[in-house]
């Protein structure tokens, strides 16, 4: 592009929040938009760049709430194998695509809301950046859970925080029979008519922010910097372990009936085909530990009366044909026997890790199918 063409696009796509060097003495941004420094985000980048390897070769990087893509382009300059920037606002995606064209750097951009983010849609990334994002979110815990799912190893957060001098100290308080730790989190009341995408919703205190991230599942949470009512936090994921408390919450399934009777004769043979998708973060092994088979994942079923009373809790099971990784889908055939007593029943399907847990016990959904026995 000629300099005149670049300048024309810069004007058309204004205002710019990220100042990105386009070369030839041209920058995306020449004035402040909301009182931030003209060279923003150079300030936070001075700290964040020290948290990233100087050579990102072989690594994948996801920039959530990427704006015009300053951090995404910096990751690509460090040699990242794949860089994806996602943002919920069309204007920011347009800006990122324009900068990509000028710089010739292979960075992907997608218009995507953080609440839609999941591994099936974008995959998993070695490093996830959520910079200047958290305080703009109406549903911060949902967003953090989504960030956790798409992060393979490392999450870096930069966020506004509660003014430290006005943040109450954390304290123990009885809730029921237990002493619970309470942390400060401020809700921001926004003016009527303001643009929701740029609202400030919640400002966590530093301890509250750390607790939120630990609760989401990150095993290591370190506040690298906290100053000027901003904080930078680096979070690492634990290695998956299926049998401990951390691993169990990653056993999540989505079940759909492909084929199966809604009506049958008493004691007749029943065959169901269930489409099963692993939407969690743990691999489902088809075979378990030696002798006991502990940990092997099956499709299981419960038989309930239409009053929700249990008729046969372990109604029947069917094996996986092979290990099922996160994001993979398979169809499982399960054969059952209709109950002897006529009436209305519910067959409830759930996945089960042998000698470990039913998936539902840790938050996964089940599939319920009405069955009339004549």
């Amino acid at each position: 592009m000629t300099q005149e063409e670049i300048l024309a696009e810069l004007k058309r796509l204004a205002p710019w929040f990220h100042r990105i060097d386009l070369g030839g003495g041209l920058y995306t941004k020449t004035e402040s938009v909301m009182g931030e420094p003209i060279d923003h985000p150079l300030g936070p980048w001075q700290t964040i760049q020290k948290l990233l390897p100087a050579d990102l070769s072989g690594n994948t990087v996801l920039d959530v709430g990427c704006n015009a893509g300053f951090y995404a382009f910096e990751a690509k300059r460090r040699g990242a194998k794949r860089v994806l920037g996602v943002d919920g606002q069309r204007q920011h995606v347009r800006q990122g695509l324009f900068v990509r064209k000028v710089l010739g750097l292979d960075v992907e951009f997608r218009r995507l809301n953080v609440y839609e983010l999941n591994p099936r849609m974008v995959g998993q990334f070695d490093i996830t950046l959520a910079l200047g994002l958290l305080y703009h979110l109406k549903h911060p815990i949902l967003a953090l859970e989504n960030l956790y799912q798409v992060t393979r190893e490392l999450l870096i957060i930069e966020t506004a925080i509660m003014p430290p001098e006005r943040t109450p100290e954390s304290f123990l308080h009885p809730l029921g029979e237990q002493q619970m730790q309470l942390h400060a989190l401020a809700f921001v009341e926004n003016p009527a008519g303001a643009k929701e995408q740029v609202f400030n919703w919640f400002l966590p205190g530093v301890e509250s922010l750390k607790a939120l991230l630990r609760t989401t599942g990150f095993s290591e949470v370190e506040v690298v910097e906290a100053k000027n009512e901003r904080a930078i936090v680096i979070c690492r994921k634990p290695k998956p372990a299926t049998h401990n408390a951390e691993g169990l919450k990653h056993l999540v399934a989505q079940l759909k009936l492909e084929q199966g009777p809604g009506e049958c004769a008493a004691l007749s043979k029943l065959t169901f085909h269930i489409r099963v998708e692993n939407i969690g973060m743990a691999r489902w092994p088809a075979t378990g530990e030696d002798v006991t088979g502990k940990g092997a994942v099956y499709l299981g079923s419960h038989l309930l009366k239409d009053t929700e009373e249990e008729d046969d809790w372990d109604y029947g099971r069917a094996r996986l044909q092979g290990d099922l990784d996160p994001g993979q889908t398979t169809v499982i055939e399960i054969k059952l026997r209709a109950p002897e007593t006529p009436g209305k029943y519910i067959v409830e399907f759930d996945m089960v890790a042998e000698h470990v847990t039913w998936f539902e016990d840790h938050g996964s959904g089940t599939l319920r199918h009405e069955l009339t026995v004549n």
Side-chain angles (χ1 to χ4, degrees), residues 21-32:
D21 188 349
L22 301 179
L26 294 179
Y27 293 85
T28 55
K29 176 181 180 178
T30 56
E31 59 184 14
S32 177

Side-chain angles (χ1 to χ4, degrees), residues 92-350:
H92 293 157
V93 174
R94 288 173 176 153
Q95 290 177 341
L97 291 172
F98 166 69
V99 174
R100 180 180 74 181
K101 183 177 180 180
V102 174
L103 296 180
L105 290 173
D106 183 19
V107 174
E108 303 169 47
F109 288 94
R110 291 179 64 180
R111 185 182 180 189
L112 189 65
N113 194 297
V114 66
Y115 306 122
E116 303 171 295
L117 203 61
N118 63 65
R120 300 185 305 284
M121 186 171 291
V122 299
Q124 275 193 307
F125 292 78
D126 301 313
I127 301 170
T128 300
L129 307 175
L131 310 174
L133 174 71
L134 187 59
Y135 52 98
H136 290 308
L137 303 176
K138 185 190 290 187
H139 310 291
I141 294 177
L142 172 59
L144 287 175
E145 289 176 343
N146 287 355
L147 290 171
Y148 184 93
Q149 288 189 62
V150 297
T151 301
R152 185 175 289 114
E153 296 177 9
L154 184 70
L155 169 69
I156 299 175
I157 284 182
E158 192 277 337
T159 183
I161 55 174
M162 238 178 130
E165 69 278 5
R166 305 193 68 174
T167 303
E169 290 187 8
S170 301
F171 60 94
L172 286 171
H173 183 75
L175 293 176
E177 296 182 352
Q178 290 192 335
Q179 291 284 328
M180 307 294 285
Q181 193 82 15
L182 302 188
H183 305 288
L185 178 70
F187 174 74
V188 181
E189 185 175 358
N190 289 281
K195 190 177 180 182
E196 181 172 333
Q197 290 95 325
V198 294
F199 274 5
N200 295 320
W201 284 101
F202 294 95
L203 295 179
V206 170
E207 292 303 317
S208 180
L209 178 59
K210 290 162 61 179
L212 282 167
L213 290 162
R214 286 194 300 267
T215 300
T216 303
F218 291 99
S219 57
E220 299 177 36
V221 177
E222 179 188 355
V223 178
V224 177
E225 181 177 279
K227 66 179 183 181
N228 302 326
E229 299 182 14
R230 311 284 298 195
I232 297 175
V233 186
I234 188 167
C235 320
R236 298 186 186 278
K237 288 185 71 169
K239 293 182 179 179
T242 305
H243 298 165
N244 63 19
E246 174 59 33
L248 292 177
K249 72 179 183 182
H250 298 306
L251 295 173
V252 190
Q254 185 167 290
L255 309 178
K256 180 182 178 182
L257 178 67
E258 292 282 301
Q259 187 179 350
E263 190 173 351
C264 64
L267 294 176
S268 61
K269 294 180 180 180
L270 309 175
T271 301
F272 294 90
H273 291 92
I274 308 297
R275 182 170 293 278
V276 175
E277 183 177 2
N278 181 349
I279 61 172
M281 299 302 298
R283 169 181 284 190
W284 301 351
T287 56
E289 298 174 3
D290 294 342
V291 183
T292 65
K294 182 178 180 179
V297 174
Y298 292 79
L299 172 64
S301 60
H302 317 306
L303 182 65
L304 313 174
K305 296 178 182 177
D306 63 350
T307 59
E308 295 290 333
E309 296 174 87
E310 295 173 12
D311 189 280
D312 187 346
W313 181 251
D314 208 350
Y315 187 37
R317 301 191 184 191
R319 288 182 172 275
L320 290 174
Q321 295 302 307
D323 295 352
L324 204 66
D325 287 322
Q328 290 187 328
T329 301
T330 189
V331 175
I332 301 176
E333 180 181 87
I334 182 170
K335 294 182 179 293
L336 305 170
R337 175 77 68 177
E340 182 178 3
T341 305
K344 293 185 179 297
Y345 295 85
I346 298 168
V347 183
E348 185 173 31
F349 298 97
D350 190 9

Side-chain angles (χ1 to χ4, degrees), residues 57-78:
S57 299
N59 287 274
T60 55
V61 178
L62 174 65
D63 186 2
V64 183
C66 63
N67 204 277
F70 175 93
Y71 298 108
F73 290 116
E74 290 297 332
K76 195 63 185 179
R77 285 189 175 109
R78 291 186 174 211

